[in-house]
Amino acid sequence: DQQVKQNSPSLSVQEGRISILNCDYTNSMFDYFLWYKKYPAEGPTFLISISSIKDKNEDGRFTVFLNKSAKHLSLHIVPSQPGDSAVYFCAASAGETSGSRLTFGEGTQLTVNP
Amino acid sequence: EPEVTQTPSHQVTQMGQEVILRCVPISNHLYFYWYRQILGQKVEFLVSFYNNEISEKSEIFDDQFSVERPDGSNFTLKIRSTKLEDSAMYFCASTYNPPYGYTFGSGTRLTVV
Protein backbone atom coordinates (compact mmCIF):
# COMPACT_ATOMS: atom_id res chain seq x y z
CA ASP A 1 0.00 0.00 0.00
CA GLN A 2 1.89 3.05 -1.30
CA GLN A 3 -0.96 5.55 -1.21
CA VAL A 4 0.94 7.86 1.15
CA LYS A 5 4.67 8.06 0.84
CA GLN A 6 7.36 9.86 2.77
CA ASN A 7 10.51 9.42 0.75
CA SER A 8 12.97 10.68 3.32
CA PRO A 9 13.46 8.27 6.21
CA SER A 10 15.53 10.84 8.07
CA LEU A 11 16.32 14.54 8.21
CA SER A 12 18.90 16.37 10.28
CA VAL A 13 18.84 20.15 10.81
CA GLN A 14 20.49 22.71 13.05
CA GLU A 15 18.57 24.32 15.86
CA GLY A 16 16.95 27.55 14.70
CA ARG A 17 16.85 26.54 11.04
CA ILE A 18 13.86 25.42 9.04
CA SER A 19 12.84 21.76 8.87
CA ILE A 20 10.88 20.70 5.79
CA LEU A 21 9.25 17.31 5.78
CA ASN A 22 7.64 16.05 2.61
CA CYS A 23 4.80 13.71 1.79
CA ASP A 24 3.30 12.48 -1.49
CA TYR A 25 0.01 10.73 -2.07
CA THR A 26 -1.60 8.94 -4.96
CA ASN A 27 -5.25 8.58 -3.99
CA SER A 28 -7.21 11.54 -5.35
CA MET A 29 -10.07 10.71 -2.96
CA PHE A 30 -7.99 11.95 -0.03
CA ASP A 31 -9.46 15.23 1.15
CA TYR A 32 -7.95 15.76 4.58
CA PHE A 33 -4.34 15.50 5.63
CA LEU A 34 -2.74 15.34 9.04
CA TRP A 35 0.74 15.42 10.49
CA TYR A 36 1.56 13.45 13.62
CA LYS A 37 4.66 13.47 15.76
CA LYS A 38 5.78 10.33 17.54
CA TYR A 39 8.29 9.74 20.28
CA PRO A 40 9.56 6.22 21.04
CA ALA A 41 7.16 4.18 23.20
CA GLU A 42 4.38 6.72 22.75
CA GLY A 43 1.42 7.00 20.44
CA PRO A 44 1.23 9.46 17.54
CA THR A 45 0.43 13.00 18.70
CA PHE A 46 -1.56 15.26 16.40
CA LEU A 47 0.34 18.31 15.17
CA ILE A 48 -1.52 20.06 12.39
CA SER A 49 -3.93 19.28 9.59
CA ILE A 50 -5.21 20.69 6.33
CA SER A 51 -8.34 20.26 4.30
CA SER A 52 -8.10 19.84 0.54
CA ILE A 53 -9.97 23.12 0.04
CA LYS A 54 -6.97 25.00 1.43
CA ASP A 55 -3.36 25.21 0.34
CA LYS A 56 -1.84 26.37 3.61
CA ASN A 57 -2.49 26.08 7.30
CA GLU A 58 -0.36 27.63 10.01
CA ASP A 59 -0.16 26.99 13.74
CA GLY A 60 2.68 28.68 15.56
CA ARG A 61 5.99 27.28 14.34
CA PHE A 62 4.24 24.69 12.16
CA THR A 63 2.91 25.29 8.66
CA VAL A 64 1.50 22.71 6.31
CA PHE A 65 1.37 23.34 2.57
CA LEU A 66 -0.79 21.36 0.19
CA ASN A 67 -0.26 21.18 -3.57
CA LYS A 68 -3.23 19.21 -4.86
CA SER A 69 -2.17 19.17 -8.48
CA ALA A 70 1.14 17.60 -7.49
CA LYS A 71 -0.46 15.47 -4.78
CA HIS A 72 2.19 16.72 -2.41
CA LEU A 73 2.21 18.21 1.03
CA SER A 74 4.95 19.47 3.26
CA LEU A 75 5.37 20.41 6.89
CA HIS A 76 7.58 23.36 7.73
CA ILE A 77 8.91 23.87 11.24
CA VAL A 78 10.45 27.26 11.90
CA PRO A 79 12.52 27.68 13.96
CA SER A 80 13.43 24.07 14.68
CA GLN A 81 14.15 23.16 18.29
CA PRO A 82 15.91 20.11 19.78
CA GLY A 83 12.58 19.06 21.35
CA ASP A 84 11.18 18.67 17.84
CA SER A 85 13.37 15.61 17.35
CA ALA A 86 10.92 12.76 16.74
CA VAL A 87 9.38 10.69 13.95
CA TYR A 88 6.88 12.67 11.87
CA PHE A 89 4.06 10.87 10.10
CA CYS A 90 1.93 12.21 7.32
CA ALA A 91 -1.59 10.74 7.21
CA ALA A 92 -4.53 11.13 4.88
CA SER A 93 -8.26 10.56 5.06
CA ALA A 94 -10.81 10.13 2.29
CA GLY A 95 -13.56 11.35 4.59
CA GLU A 96 -16.85 9.60 4.86
CA THR A 97 -16.28 7.44 1.81
CA SER A 98 -13.52 5.60 3.65
CA GLY A 99 -15.14 5.28 7.04
CA SER A 100 -12.62 7.86 8.19
CA ARG A 101 -9.65 5.53 8.35
CA LEU A 102 -6.26 7.20 8.24
CA THR A 103 -3.61 6.05 5.79
CA PHE A 104 -0.11 6.74 7.04
CA GLY A 105 3.23 7.33 5.40
CA GLU A 106 6.38 5.57 6.53
CA GLY A 107 7.52 8.41 8.74
CA THR A 108 10.56 10.70 8.74
CA GLN A 109 12.95 10.76 11.68
CA LEU A 110 13.77 14.42 12.36
CA THR A 111 16.86 15.22 14.39
CA VAL A 112 17.42 18.80 15.45
CA ASN A 113 20.98 19.38 16.57
CA PRO A 114 21.73 22.01 19.22
CA GLU B 1 -6.12 17.21 28.52
CA PRO B 2 -8.24 14.08 27.89
CA GLU B 3 -6.30 10.97 26.97
CA VAL B 4 -6.85 7.62 25.37
CA THR B 5 -5.57 5.01 27.83
CA GLN B 6 -4.26 1.61 26.77
CA THR B 7 -3.40 -1.38 28.93
CA PRO B 8 -1.15 -3.24 29.24
CA SER B 9 1.79 -1.27 27.87
CA HIS B 10 3.60 -4.48 27.03
CA GLN B 11 2.27 -8.02 26.67
CA VAL B 12 4.23 -11.15 25.93
CA THR B 13 2.27 -14.20 24.87
CA GLN B 14 2.92 -17.63 23.46
CA MET B 15 1.97 -18.41 19.90
CA GLY B 16 -1.56 -19.78 19.72
CA GLN B 17 -2.73 -18.03 22.86
CA GLU B 18 -5.56 -15.51 22.99
CA VAL B 19 -4.84 -11.93 23.96
CA ILE B 20 -7.09 -9.02 24.78
CA LEU B 21 -5.80 -5.50 24.42
CA ARG B 22 -7.72 -2.86 26.30
CA CYS B 23 -8.44 0.78 25.61
CA VAL B 24 -10.39 3.50 27.35
CA PRO B 25 -11.26 6.12 24.72
CA ILE B 26 -11.97 9.74 25.53
CA SER B 27 -15.35 9.85 27.20
CA ASN B 28 -17.39 11.89 24.73
CA HIS B 29 -15.88 10.32 21.63
CA LEU B 30 -18.10 8.20 19.43
CA TYR B 31 -15.71 6.65 16.92
CA PHE B 32 -13.08 4.12 17.93
CA TYR B 33 -10.19 2.59 16.05
CA TRP B 34 -7.38 0.09 16.25
CA TYR B 35 -4.16 0.53 14.32
CA ARG B 36 -0.93 -1.42 14.48
CA GLN B 37 2.69 -0.78 13.64
CA ILE B 38 5.01 -3.69 13.00
CA LEU B 39 8.60 -2.74 13.84
CA GLY B 40 10.12 -0.72 11.02
CA GLN B 41 6.86 -0.51 9.08
CA LYS B 42 3.98 1.91 8.62
CA VAL B 43 1.14 2.48 11.03
CA GLU B 44 -1.69 0.41 9.54
CA PHE B 45 -5.42 0.67 10.00
CA LEU B 46 -7.14 -2.41 11.43
CA VAL B 47 -10.73 -1.53 12.26
CA SER B 48 -13.15 1.28 13.00
CA PHE B 49 -16.14 1.01 15.34
CA TYR B 50 -19.16 3.24 15.65
CA ASN B 51 -22.60 2.84 17.19
CA ASN B 52 -21.68 -0.55 18.64
CA GLU B 53 -20.65 -2.10 15.39
CA ILE B 54 -17.71 -2.35 13.05
CA SER B 55 -17.95 0.36 10.40
CA GLU B 56 -14.88 -0.65 8.42
CA LYS B 57 -12.09 -3.19 8.62
CA SER B 58 -8.90 -3.75 6.69
CA GLU B 59 -7.72 -6.94 5.04
CA ILE B 60 -5.48 -7.49 8.07
CA PHE B 61 -8.51 -7.77 10.34
CA ASP B 62 -9.40 -11.38 9.65
CA ASP B 63 -11.45 -13.89 11.65
CA GLN B 64 -8.73 -14.08 14.31
CA PHE B 65 -9.49 -10.52 15.34
CA SER B 66 -12.54 -9.14 17.08
CA VAL B 67 -13.46 -5.90 18.83
CA GLU B 68 -15.93 -5.17 21.54
CA ARG B 69 -17.21 -2.31 23.60
CA PRO B 70 -18.32 -4.30 26.64
CA ASP B 71 -19.43 -1.28 28.65
CA GLY B 72 -19.64 2.48 28.29
CA SER B 73 -15.94 3.07 28.68
CA ASN B 74 -13.79 0.18 27.42
CA PHE B 75 -12.94 -0.80 23.87
CA THR B 76 -11.10 -4.08 23.39
CA LEU B 77 -9.22 -5.87 20.63
CA LYS B 78 -9.06 -9.64 20.89
CA ILE B 79 -6.71 -11.83 18.92
CA ARG B 80 -7.96 -15.40 19.20
CA SER B 81 -4.87 -17.42 18.35
CA THR B 82 -1.79 -15.29 18.11
CA LYS B 83 0.87 -15.77 15.46
CA LEU B 84 4.46 -14.61 15.46
CA GLU B 85 3.58 -12.01 12.82
CA ASP B 86 1.05 -10.41 15.17
CA SER B 87 3.97 -8.97 17.13
CA ALA B 88 3.58 -5.20 16.82
CA MET B 89 2.61 -2.01 18.60
CA TYR B 90 -1.16 -1.75 18.73
CA PHE B 91 -2.65 1.72 18.97
CA CYS B 92 -6.18 2.58 19.96
CA ALA B 93 -7.63 5.90 18.77
CA SER B 94 -10.86 7.76 19.20
CA THR B 95 -12.57 10.86 17.89
CA TYR B 96 -15.87 12.67 18.20
CA ASN B 97 -16.07 13.78 14.58
CA PRO B 98 -13.75 12.05 12.12
CA PRO B 99 -11.33 12.79 10.63
CA TYR B 100 -10.93 15.68 13.04
CA GLY B 101 -9.57 15.33 16.53
CA TYR B 102 -8.19 11.82 16.21
CA THR B 103 -6.43 11.03 19.50
CA PHE B 104 -4.15 8.03 19.86
CA GLY B 105 -3.24 6.08 22.95
CA SER B 106 0.36 5.25 23.90
CA GLY B 107 0.06 1.77 22.51
CA THR B 108 0.46 -1.83 23.65
CA ARG B 109 3.57 -3.62 22.54
CA LEU B 110 2.55 -7.20 21.80
CA THR B 111 5.32 -9.77 21.56
CA VAL B 112 4.38 -13.26 20.41
CA VAL B 113 6.99 -15.90 21.19
Side-chain angles (χ1 to χ4, degrees):
Chain A
D1 178 3
Q2 297 290 307
Q3 294 189 75
V4 178
K5 193 141 184 64
Q6 294 175 255
N7 287 310
S8 300
S10 63
L11 174 68
S12 184
V13 299
Q14 284 300 118
E15 181 178 5
R17 305 296 289 268
I18 184 170
S19 297
I20 300 176
L21 297 104
N22 293 302
C23 177
D24 297 293
Y25 63 95
T26 57
N27 188 343
S28 52
M29 297 298 292
F30 288 146
D31 58 5
Y32 192 73
F33 304 89
L34 309 92
W35 283 95
Y36 284 86
K37 176 180 179 179
K38 187 180 178 306
Y39 294 113
E42 293 186 14
T45 302
F46 171 75
L47 261 182
I48 192 169
S49 61
I50 189 166
S51 166
S52 60
I53 61 173
K54 294 188 172 183
D55 54 20
K56 177 182 173 181
N57 188 26
E58 196 170 349
D59 184 2
R61 296 185 298 114
F62 303 92
T63 304
V64 56
F65 295 92
L66 175 62
N67 182 334
K68 276 197 304 185
S69 59
K71 294 192 174 67
H72 176 84
L73 61 155
S74 60
L75 173 68
H76 293 211
I77 307 174
V78 182
S80 302
Q81 299 172 353
D84 295 330
S85 298
V87 178
Y88 288 78
F89 290 98
C90 167
S93 168
E96 291 184 11
T97 58
S98 74
S100 72
R101 69 156 75 180
L102 296 182
T103 302
F104 282 83
E106 298 88 341
T108 297
Q109 171 71 57
L110 173 66
T111 303
V112 180
N113 301 302
Chain B
E1 188 167 328
E3 288 184 343
V4 174
T5 306
Q6 288 187 245
T7 55
S9 57
H10 191 186
Q11 172 124 23
V12 181
T13 188
Q14 290 209 323
M15 193 167 53
Q17 295 295 303
E18 174 184 287
V19 293
I20 297 176
L21 309 183
R22 300 180 192 279
C23 171
V24 178
I26 292 174
S27 62
N28 67 337
H29 284 185
L30 303 174
Y31 297 80
F32 314 112
Y33 306 84
W34 285 100
Y35 287 78
R36 79 172 186 190
Q37 185 181 26
I38 295 171
L39 188 64
Q41 297 187 23
K42 290 186 179 189
V43 176
E44 302 172 288
F45 168 80
L46 292 178
V47 66
S48 58
F49 191 88
Y50 171 71
N51 201 25
N52 284 319
E53 60 183 25
I54 290 173
S55 48
E56 189 186 2
K57 57 185 180 180
S58 71
E59 56 282 354
I60 303 167
F61 194 88
D62 61 22
D63 292 345
Q64 293 300 309
F65 291 87
S66 63
V67 289
E68 195 178 30
R69 187 152 164 81
D71 52 44
S73 59
N74 289 284
F75 180 51
T76 61
L77 174 69
K78 183 194 291 187
I79 309 175
R80 260 178 272 284
S81 176
T82 49
K83 307 184 189 76
L84 294 176
E85 53 265 37
D86 294 326
S87 296
M89 280 290 287
Y90 287 80
F91 295 107
C92 174
S94 70
T95 181
Y96 179 78
N97 181 22
Y100 314 104
Y102 245 90
T103 304
F104 283 83
S106 299
T108 293
R109 178 168 296 286
L110 176 66
T111 303
V112 182
V113 297

